[in-house]
Amino acid sequence: MPVANAKEMLLEATRKKYSVGAFNVTSLVQMEAVVEAAIQMRSAVIIQTSVTPAKFFKPEVLAAAYRALAQASPYPVCLHLDHCTDPEFCKRCADAGYTNIMIDASLEPFERNVEITKEVADYCHRTGDITVEGELGTVLGVEDNVKVSGGQVALCDPDKAEEFVRRTGIDIFAPAIGTAHGVYKSEPKIDFELFARIAEILNGREIRAPLVIHGGTGLSDEVTRRLVGLGGSKFNVSTELKHVLMDATDGYLAGHLKDYNPGKLDAAVFAATLEAIRRWMDILGSAGQY
Ligand code: 13P
């Protein structure tokens, strides 16, 4: 399948009431496992990179690997840049071949958020078939370089959601609804009613902007399914995959350090990641949709 942007696959997911997993990767082994899981599960999938790994590997290198992997899958695969606060780096990733870009200006005042987000959306739409995610309200926790403390948390104002989408021209929308990045230290305080209201305002009559759930790690299956049922059609998971990678590495090395066989270490990380992604695809309902 040729490469795909996020919007097409998420329109389909919103219509059919399932969610596409968006998995943050920090290595090529993880990237391979994400796409293999999608092939095995007959699912669309979104590969995400945060800014730090994108800079480390270089966007052009990641985009080349992505293109090759996507071509090997019969189902749509998207490459998404996650939580980028720098419009210039967003543009570089769009030029390199990312198919969905998240500009995160959510810590800025509303007007400035609109201005920055629109600049990136306009650029991506001019450049090619590249879709854009924007965020309103702030998500607690740490995701790469974006750090939001308790005092900075603000849920999405539902009355501003339509205006934000209309004025910025974004394709998919991430409202802050009380989920958090990282490991939940206590029960997450998710405002389901707020999310339902935003879904109704934006997508009730026609689907204008598919909705994104941030902070997937640690949510119960029940909470996840409820958010999917309410219209969350992109579901972000990052921290869990970092844990899977480190734990699989640690587990393998504990018994095999002196084998000096990195291929087997890669295989252990691949297998653990594959299992984690398959589980998410089942819960999100994307499995078997193609
Ligand atoms: P977690 O790290 O909590 O899974 O959040 C992922 C995320 O929302 C990435 O944007």
Side-chain angles (χ1 to χ4, degrees):
M1 174 106 187
V3 299
N5 67 34
K7 183 152 193 186
E8 273 315 302
M9 64 171 76
L10 298 182
L11 285 174
E12 175 83 355
T14 306
R15 268 194 292 272
K16 293 193 175 162
K17 291 203 179 308
Y18 67 88
S19 193
V20 177
F23 302 105
N24 289 61
V25 301
T26 51
S27 82
L28 183 58
V29 174
Q30 287 177 307
M31 212 172 182
E32 297 257 359
V34 167
V35 177
E36 177 58 26
I39 294 170
Q40 289 184 9
M41 301 300 271
R42 294 195 288 123
S43 173
V45 77
I46 298 172
I47 303 166
Q48 302 197 145
T49 70
S50 304
V51 172
T52 301
K55 285 188 174 163
F56 182 84
F57 287 108
K58 296 178 196 64
E60 296 75 14
V61 173
L62 291 171
Y66 154 66
R67 272 193 296 276
L69 286 168
Q71 265 153 22
S73 171
Y75 319 118
V77 184
C78 165
L79 180 63
H80 163 98
L81 176 68
D82 205 28
H83 287 284
C84 182
T85 55
D86 174 7
E88 294 315 310
F89 193 68
C90 287
K91 292 173 192 172
R92 176 166 167 206
C93 290
D95 289 343
Y98 277 63
T99 54
N100 197 74
I101 301 287
M102 178 185 189
I103 171 69
D104 182 353
S106 61
L107 279 167
E108 302 286 344
F110 181 77
E111 284 301 323
R112 186 77 185 120
N113 188 354
V114 168
E115 195 181 319
I116 296 170
T117 305
K118 181 175 175 356
E119 177 189 336
V120 173
D122 287 349
Y123 183 89
C124 289
H125 296 157
R126 266 200 316 272
T127 301
D129 200 10
I130 304 162
T131 50
V132 173
E133 174 180 337
E135 178 170 303
L136 197 55
T138 48
V139 175
L140 177 69
V142 179
E143 171 52 46
D144 199 35
N145 299 324
V146 179
K147 300 177 180 69
V148 178
S149 62
Q152 292 173 301
V153 171
L155 297 187
C156 174
D157 177 352
D159 298 328
K160 292 274 188 198
E162 191 279 334
E163 183 186 346
F164 185 73
V165 169
R166 176 168 41 80
R167 287 180 56 198
T168 56
I170 52 168
D171 304 278
I172 58 180
F173 179 57
I177 53 162
T179 57
H181 291 131
V183 175
Y184 291 99
K185 295 190 181 74
S186 56
E187 200 59 33
K189 293 191 185 63
I190 301 171
D191 195 333
F192 294 99
E193 272 172 31
L194 171 66
F195 187 59
R197 223 174 121 204
I198 294 166
E200 178 54 33
I201 290 169
L202 283 175
N203 300 330
R205 262 190 250 146
E206 50 166 334
I207 304 168
R208 294 185 52 194
L211 299 178
V212 185
I213 305 292
H214 282 256
T217 297
L219 293 180
S220 68
D221 294 1
E222 189 198 341
V223 165
T224 301
R225 290 200 178 96
R226 194 166 164 199
L227 289 168
V228 174
L230 289 173
S233 64
K234 173 174 181 275
F235 219 92
N236 289 7
V237 181
S238 175
T239 304
E240 178 181 323
L241 297 181
K242 293 189 180 106
H243 286 217
V244 167
L245 185 150
M246 299 305 284
D247 289 346
T249 302
D250 193 41
Y252 176 78
L253 289 180
H256 305 275
L257 181 63
K258 297 295 175 192
D259 289 357
Y260 296 109
N261 190 332
K264 286 196 175 164
L265 172 60
D266 288 346
V269 171
F270 181 90
T273 307
L274 182 72
E275 192 187 320
I277 306 284
R278 284 176 55 107
R279 191 189 75 84
W280 272 105
M281 287 174 168
D282 257 335
I283 299 166
L284 296 175
S286 71
Q289 294 286 348
Y290 285 84

